């Protein structure tokens, strides 16, 4: 009888530990945003717009990286000039609030076409698209830090055709569920170790 009582007590203790870990895991899952659908169409001036560059000249790797990093540093609705040689580009930040933006941005990939594969969530942070035209055209920049999968961007903007795009990464960007998951995993393993010790007769 005594053995059965001890086993029942240990079972209840183990069950309580398991429930605590599950509740903690559920709370953590609710705290993180649910990934957006894998197919998204971005538009000029939409809710994902970070800002614009006009005219977006020059278009070299160093120049477009400078535009994006300057934009990251602007306040909501702010603007300023990036001067590269004889070129004076007006960089404007949208009123869309994405919270604390990771930076500095680093160029990761360039391409052409309206369909872009962002891969898994949090791989890239910023998308720069250049729309060519007389006088350099303009560039649209979107925040894509929490998007994943295949997205589409407009083929034209303000009458100018898309000439190319670039994806940027940034250190210190959001890492999906990193530290909390490790902490929960440690707690669960610790609970299993304790339960194993208690259940020994």
């Amino acid at each position: 009888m005594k053995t059965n009582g001890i086993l029942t007590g240990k079972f209840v203790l183990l069950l309580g530990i398991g429930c605590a870990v599950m509740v903690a895991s559920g709370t953590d899952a609710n705290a993180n945003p649910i990934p957006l659908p894998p197919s998204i169409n971005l538009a000029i001036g939409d809710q994902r717009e970070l800002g614009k560059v006009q005219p977006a000249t020059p278009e070299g790797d160093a120049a477009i990286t400078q535009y994006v990093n300057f934009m990251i540093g602007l306040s909501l609705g702010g603007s300023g000039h990036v001067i590269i040689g004889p070129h004076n580009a007006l960089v404007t930040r949208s009123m869309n609030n994405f919270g604390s933006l990771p930076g500095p941005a680093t160029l990761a990939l360039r391409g052409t076409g309206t369909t872009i594969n962002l891969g898994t969530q949090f791989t890239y942070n910023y998308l720069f698209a250049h729309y060519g035209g007389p006088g350099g055209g303009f560039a649209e920049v979107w925040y894509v830090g929490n998007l994943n999968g295949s997205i589409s961007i407009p083929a034209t903007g303000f009458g100018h055709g898309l000439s190319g795009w670039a994806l940027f990464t940034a250190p210190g960007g959001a890492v999906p569920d990193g530290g909390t998951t490790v902490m929960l995993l440690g707690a669960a393993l610790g609970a299993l170790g304790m339960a194993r010790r208690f259940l020994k007769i």
Side-chain angles (χ1 to χ4, degrees):
M1 291 294 282
K2 187 177 179 183
T3 303
N4 286 341
I6 292 171
L7 283 176
T8 303
K10 290 179 180 178
F11 179 77
V12 170
L13 176 65
L14 179 60
L15 190 60
I17 290 170
C19 288
V21 170
M22 284 191 290
V23 167
S25 300
T27 304
D28 180 61
N30 290 334
N32 291 301
I34 297 169
L36 293 172
S39 182
I40 293 174
N41 297 322
L42 299 181
I44 305 296
D46 66 7
Q47 73 276 9
R48 297 227 139 267
E49 181 193 54
L50 185 64
K52 287 184 174 60
V53 182
Q54 194 168 12
T57 308
E59 303 170 47
D61 292 356
I64 66 174
T65 301
Q66 192 171 343
Y67 300 146
V68 173
N69 280 310
F70 186 83
M71 190 179 292
I72 291 170
L74 290 172
S75 59
L76 295 178
S79 64
H81 293 268
V82 173
I83 299 171
I84 302 174
H87 305 285
N88 185 343
L90 176 64
V91 179
T92 307
R93 173 80 185 272
S94 74
M95 289 298 293
N96 296 325
N97 189 354
F98 302 106
S100 180
L101 293 170
T106 303
L107 180 61
L109 183 66
R110 291 190 82 149
T112 57
T114 58
T115 302
I116 303 165
N117 185 3
L118 295 178
T120 57
Q121 196 172 21
F122 304 104
T123 301
Y124 301 105
N125 296 94
Y126 308 104
L127 169 59
F128 175 100
H130 182 266
Y131 292 86
F138 80 101
E140 178 84 354
V141 180
W142 292 276
Y143 175 72
V144 294
N146 61 351
L147 301 183
N148 65 328
S150 179
I151 64 168
S152 295
I153 59 175
T156 59
F158 295 113
H160 303 306
L162 175 67
S163 60
W165 51 260
L167 286 168
F168 290 82
T169 59
V175 178
D177 198 21
T180 312
T181 297
V182 172
M183 194 170 60
L184 285 172
L185 180 61
L189 291 174
L192 286 174
M194 285 175 52
R196 187 169 175 252
R197 282 186 65 188
F198 278 123
L199 288 174
K200 282 184 179 178
I201 301 173

